[in-house]
Amino acid sequence: MIWNKEMECMSREQMREVQGEKLRKIVAHAYSNSPFYKQRLDEHGVHPSDIKTIDDIVKLPFTVKQDLRDNYPFGLMAVPMSDIIRLHASSGTTGKPIVVGYTRTDLDNWSEAVARCLTAFGLGKNDLVQISYGYGLFTGGLGAHAGVQKIGATVIPTSSGNTQKQMQLMQDFGTTALACTPSYAMYMSDELQKAGITLDRLKLRVGIFGAEPWTEAMRQELQKKLGVKAYDIYGLTEISGPGVGSECECQCGTHIWEDLYYPEIIDPVTLKPVEPGQKGELVFTTLDKWGMPMLRYRTRDLTTLNYEKCDCGRTCVRMGKIMGRSDDMMIVRGVNVFPSQIESILLEFPEYEPYFLIEVDRVNNTDTFDIQVEVKPEFYTDRINELVRIRQRLTSRIQSVIGIQPNIKIVQPNTIERSTGKAKRAIDHRKFE
Ligand code: DLL
């Protein structure tokens, strides 16, 4: 099923027309109503009249997270506050939170985007969707909520946490779809197993997982453990929230709803567009968001775009899995390390749990690279030789994939903190002056 066939399946030429038309309007709106954008565009010598087709987007300057921080809280709004009917915020790890504001039209467009995602997952009126993303300033809970209502399915607004109750309701209500971060889904599946709740007592069939990077190996694991088809849903606060794009039944790339959110991939160093299909930093322009439009916002997410038509019939561009944020990437002893690489490797080993914590520090001018991992309780034996052997295999595998040798620390089962939201999987203790 396709929620909005017209927008999701139009030809590339038509889409470019729609995008060009919308870009002209949103740039004119931002220029006339946001002092921030007026100044930015003036400084770059660009005027709204320079924007004629979607190709002209490259004339626009970029917007970055620091712009949102510098203009905290409402400096990027392009409508009077009386037209803003919702605020969300994202705290990030450092500094002031960033704040976003939505008009009624913005909320409608956002729920339209989420409705497209949910329909692409095969959900409809008869489904019961348990939303275990956090409700509140985080966009996950309320964003997913509005989309579920839009398609006429039943919302079970549990928010995150209180896992025992989540499991109870899941059984009692016959939840058919679970929406949460993949790390919370993994934790929940372990708890279900511990509680002896077998899959035949559940009606789950779809997982709506996103808000953090996760690997194909993790998908296989979650599908097996929860008895669902696990779909990726992507989004970010600055651009609206969950539902900027999602997979379809083919599970072969995340369709971006391009009539609402225009994606580009740039080289994060030269800031020039990369060759088609190449990896780079994802940049979004919101084409239909009026409260707080974003022009060429640099997401820091690293991925690729594929414009080939999908087997599902949708023509909207497909984004590859997010490799990680360029912010998350750590350079350890000169080598790029992404937490998702460790996740994939751990899932290759039946002995290990997919929970881990990377800690990097610098001692005597050399980077240390420690990884805490848990073995499954049945492998956590007193036989020290056994553990040494398992540890050695993991060390070699990580060294061969990443190129540097980690110091693996096997910790007791259930030691690494379980997450009900976005998992924290790396800590960098190094001080860079
Ligand atoms: O995480 C919005 C969201 C909520 C998306 C629920 C999906 C589901 P932020 O807190 O602003 O918003 O974080 C946005 O999270 O730039 C990516 O780095 C990461 N991210 C979000 N979805 C995915 C995904 C929400 N499916 C940041 N895969 C983004 C990988 C993701 N990373």
Side-chain angles (χ1 to χ4, degrees):
M1 283 283 287
I2 296 181
W3 177 257
N4 186 337
K5 207 161 187 179
E6 189 190 348
M7 289 301 157
E8 296 176 57
C9 303
M10 67 174 78
S11 71
R12 184 58 33 205
E13 297 71 46
Q14 280 173 314
M15 179 59 88
R16 287 168 50 77
E17 278 293 310
V18 170
Q19 290 169 331
E21 176 79 9
K22 288 189 167 191
L23 182 68
R24 279 197 293 278
K25 286 191 187 147
I26 206 75
V27 171
H29 168 72
Y31 188 82
S32 313
N33 297 295
S34 153
F36 166 82
Y37 278 120
K38 173 155 195 325
Q39 188 184 347
R40 227 348 119 75
L41 266 62
D42 285 346
E43 278 166 8
H44 277 75
V46 196
H47 188 266
S49 58
D50 297 327
I51 307 297
K52 297 190 177 68
T53 73
I54 191 64
D55 290 333
D56 294 321
I57 198 163
V58 293
K59 296 177 181 164
L60 297 170
F62 293 104
T63 310
V64 294
K65 193 171 247 167
Q66 192 58 38
D67 293 323
L68 279 84
R69 296 217 170 99
D70 291 346
N71 291 282
Y72 175 85
F74 303 145
L76 259 72
M77 303 295 169
V79 295
M81 282 307 283
S82 53
D83 289 342
I84 296 287
I85 63 165
R86 173 98 68 80
L87 295 172
H88 279 287
S90 136
S91 54
T93 41
T94 49
K96 282 183 198 158
I98 54 140
V99 179
V100 293
Y102 307 75
T103 63
R104 193 173 300 281
T105 305
D106 297 343
L107 289 184
D108 283 348
N109 286 337
W110 180 16
S111 62
E112 157 77 22
V114 181
R116 293 184 195 174
C117 304
L118 301 174
T119 310
F121 303 154
L123 296 171
K125 282 163 112 48
N126 296 324
D127 282 287
L128 286 86
V129 185
Q130 186 159 332
I131 300 184
S132 310
Y133 287 115
Y135 278 65
L137 287 173
F138 177 52
T139 54
L142 285 162
H145 184 105
V148 176
Q149 285 188 335
K150 189 143 195 152
I151 64 164
T154 308
V155 186
I156 311 175
T158 49
S159 194
S160 58
N162 208 345
T163 308
Q164 297 306 314
K165 182 146 181 206
Q166 303 255 7
M167 292 173 2
Q168 182 74 50
L169 299 183
M170 193 178 279
Q171 283 189 90
D172 296 348
F173 293 178
T175 301
T176 59
L178 173 66
C180 63
T181 59
S183 45
Y184 191 31
M186 180 56 71
Y187 173 39
M188 228 187 269
S189 73
D190 286 349
E191 292 298 300
L192 285 164
Q193 203 176 4
K194 271 191 212 152
I197 302 174
T198 45
L199 293 182
D200 55 322
R201 283 161 64 187
L202 301 175
K203 296 220 169 75
L204 275 185
R205 62 182 189 88
V206 169
I208 305 168
F209 302 142
E212 62 184 3
W214 54 306
T215 57
E216 196 50 47
M218 180 67 112
R219 186 210 303 273
Q220 299 308 330
E221 190 78 5
L222 287 170
Q223 296 198 145
K224 194 170 70 195
K225 285 187 153 177
L226 286 170
V228 294
K229 223 172 151 185
Y231 291 103
D232 203 345
I233 183 164
Y234 170 83
L236 63 164
T237 314
E238 297 87 321
I239 301 305
S240 64
V244 169
S246 74
E247 290 180 323
C248 60
E249 66 266 28
C250 303
Q251 293 180 313
C252 56
T254 292
H255 289 280
I256 301 290
W257 311 126
E258 288 180 72
D259 54 313
L260 301 171
Y261 315 108
Y262 182 78
E264 296 171 82
I265 301 278
I266 61 161
D267 178 323
V269 179
T270 64
L271 305 185
K272 296 272 179 279
V274 297
E275 293 296 316
Q278 292 300 301
K279 192 178 86 185
E281 180 178 338
L282 183 62
V283 170
F284 277 112
T285 299
T286 57
L287 295 177
D288 217 331
K289 192 153 100 63
W290 302 87
M292 197 175 135
M294 282 284 121
L295 303 183
R296 300 194 88 199
Y297 182 72
R298 291 185 57 185
T299 64
R300 302 273 166 192
D301 290 330
L302 301 174
T303 185
T304 52
L305 290 178
N306 170 5
Y307 283 87
E308 278 165 34
K309 189 175 170 186
C310 181
D311 289 344
C312 71
R314 290 176 184 80
T315 50
C316 284
V317 63
R318 276 173 291 158
M319 175 179 94
K321 277 248 176 233
I322 302 283
M323 276 280 305
R325 298 173 61 77
S326 50
D327 310 5
D328 284 350
M329 187 189 82
M330 291 182 295
I331 302 182
V332 187
R333 294 177 214 151
V335 170
N336 297 349
V337 178
F338 285 100
S340 55
Q341 295 171 305
I342 308 295
E343 178 184 294
S344 298
I345 296 171
L346 279 178
L347 284 163
E348 292 171 8
F349 287 80
E351 297 93 345
Y352 289 101
E353 298 279 9
Y355 304 106
F356 63 94
L357 182 67
I358 305 173
E359 283 190 87
V360 178
D361 205 344
R362 186 160 288 173
V363 178
N364 298 333
N365 289 321
T366 305
D367 291 335
T368 58
F369 181 35
D370 297 342
I371 309 177
Q372 289 183 33
V373 292
E374 280 180 18
V375 284
K376 299 207 171 111
E378 60 269 34
F379 293 102
Y380 194 76
T381 61
D382 294 336
R383 280 175 295 160
I384 193 84
N385 286 348
E386 192 74 356
L387 283 184
V388 168
R389 194 183 55 77
I390 299 176
R391 181 172 172 271
Q392 185 50 44
R393 279 179 49 221
L394 181 62
T395 306
S396 315
R397 179 76 182 125
I398 293 177
Q399 172 153 25
S400 74
V401 173
I402 296 183
I404 53 168
Q405 187 171 333
N407 176 29
I408 300 291
K409 296 181 171 171
I410 297 183
V411 297
Q412 299 226 359
N414 287 312
T415 312
I416 294 169
E417 197 185 342
R418 304 300 193 247
S419 166
T420 62
K422 296 180 193 244
K424 173 123 193 93
R425 303 192 302 175
I427 306 176
D428 195 337
H429 298 287
R430 295 171 297 184
K431 306 252 177 312
F432 297 102
E433 260 93 46

